[in-house]
Amino acid sequence: MCWRSASARGALRRPSRPYVRAYYGVDLAMPMVDRLVGKRNGEPIYPVIGDATRMPFADATFDAAIAVHIFHLIPAYRDAFAEVARVLKPGAVLAHGWNVRHTEDSLQQVWNQATIQAEARSLEEASNSPRPVPFIERAAMLPASGWRLKDENSLRYPVERTPTEFLADMGARVYSMCWSMPDEVLEAGLTAVRAYLTENAIDPDQPRRIESEFRVQTFLPPG
């Protein structure tokens, strides 16, 4: 079983297919499911339209679950954790993956500071309805909910992109951290980064090399 932000594109499911008997994916978005179905070539991969907090599966169904860049997007993420625990067989694990940057990325730091401040203002003005947790807190969510770390693996890799590309990606909401971000919060981040580039005379078209890492931790449900 798998969730991933934009998961139904098959970015995780198809490469891992040779190692499993069958793959079930849960996604709320029909367009994402349609994209995976369009790529499927006879593999036993079964996308399901569903809510991670109320999954249409029986107890103790799956040998493992995979989640990448998704739990921080779910306001009721504790309900999603409980559902994962429910559908996993005894002794089965949840593999939780996310990206980590090792090179100090000043643009990302400026973005994070501006959007966190703008989000705080937005929450003060809005109702008390639940919001997704900040993306930067994703690593602590499972341990804080009682999930037990079993193993950890990672892969480091370089990424090069210009400030112009950074702004374009954020403005287009390419990354999951931006999907549920209110327009005014997104604009606050863009404005802050543009101002930083101007104040520091940074060439917006000069590529910047960032050392990144994809990290996967496997967890056992709370015991």
Side-chain angles (χ1 to χ4, degrees):
M1 179 179 60
C2 174
W3 303 273
R4 183 182 187 273
S5 54
S7 61
R9 289 178 296 187
L12 288 176
R13 292 186 174 94
R14 296 195 69 199
S16 59
R17 166 61 197 98
Y19 306 100
V20 299
R21 293 190 302 272
Y23 220 122
Y24 290 81
V26 179
D27 203 310
L28 280 172
M30 179 62 79
M32 293 294 100
V33 170
D34 288 342
R35 292 185 69 175
L36 174 57
V37 170
K39 292 181 178 181
R40 191 169 51 188
N41 187 25
E43 304 100 335
I45 301 174
Y46 308 106
V48 176
I49 293 292
D51 185 338
T53 66
R54 297 188 303 274
M55 291 189 290
F57 304 117
D59 295 355
T61 296
F62 296 102
D63 298 305
I66 301 174
V68 177
H69 295 317
I70 189 64
F71 287 133
H72 66 282
L73 298 174
I74 304 174
Y77 64 88
R78 292 184 181 86
D79 293 338
F81 291 165
E83 277 292 270
V84 177
R86 180 183 68 79
V87 301
L88 286 176
K89 294 178 180 178
V93 299
L94 164 65
H96 182 226
W98 71 94
N99 292 96
V100 179
R101 288 189 177 91
H102 289 279
T103 303
E104 181 176 344
D105 185 352
S106 57
L107 300 188
Q108 188 70 54
Q109 291 177 341
V110 170
W111 170 272
N112 289 343
Q113 182 177 5
T115 54
I116 288 172
Q117 291 175 349
E119 180 73 14
R121 291 193 298 270
S122 176
L123 286 172
E124 288 176 1
E125 298 168 359
S127 66
N128 293 324
S129 59
R131 296 286 189 94
V133 300
F135 184 76
I136 58 175
E137 296 179 12
R138 63 201 179 281
M141 296 171 69
L142 281 158
S145 297
W147 286 72
R148 298 167 290 158
L149 180 64
K150 183 177 181 181
D151 197 7
E152 182 172 340
N153 292 279
S154 63
L155 174 67
R156 295 187 68 157
Y157 60 95
V159 175
E160 286 194 0
R161 64 176 173 177
T162 66
T164 296
E165 291 170 333
F166 176 90
L167 288 167
D169 287 346
M170 293 304 191
R173 300 181 183 269
V174 169
Y175 301 106
S176 61
M177 71 177 75
C178 300
W179 289 359
S180 61
M181 191 173 283
D183 291 342
E184 64 272 17
V185 175
L186 185 80
E187 187 56 40
L190 296 173
T191 299
V193 173
R194 293 189 190 105
Y196 176 82
L197 295 174
T198 299
E199 292 166 3
N200 292 276
I202 296 173
D203 181 355
D205 297 315
Q206 179 64 39
R208 300 156 64 89
R209 183 183 176 92
I210 306 297
E211 292 294 328
S212 297
E213 175 185 344
F214 184 71
R215 185 174 297 167
V216 178
Q217 293 179 321
T218 55
F219 290 89
L220 290 165

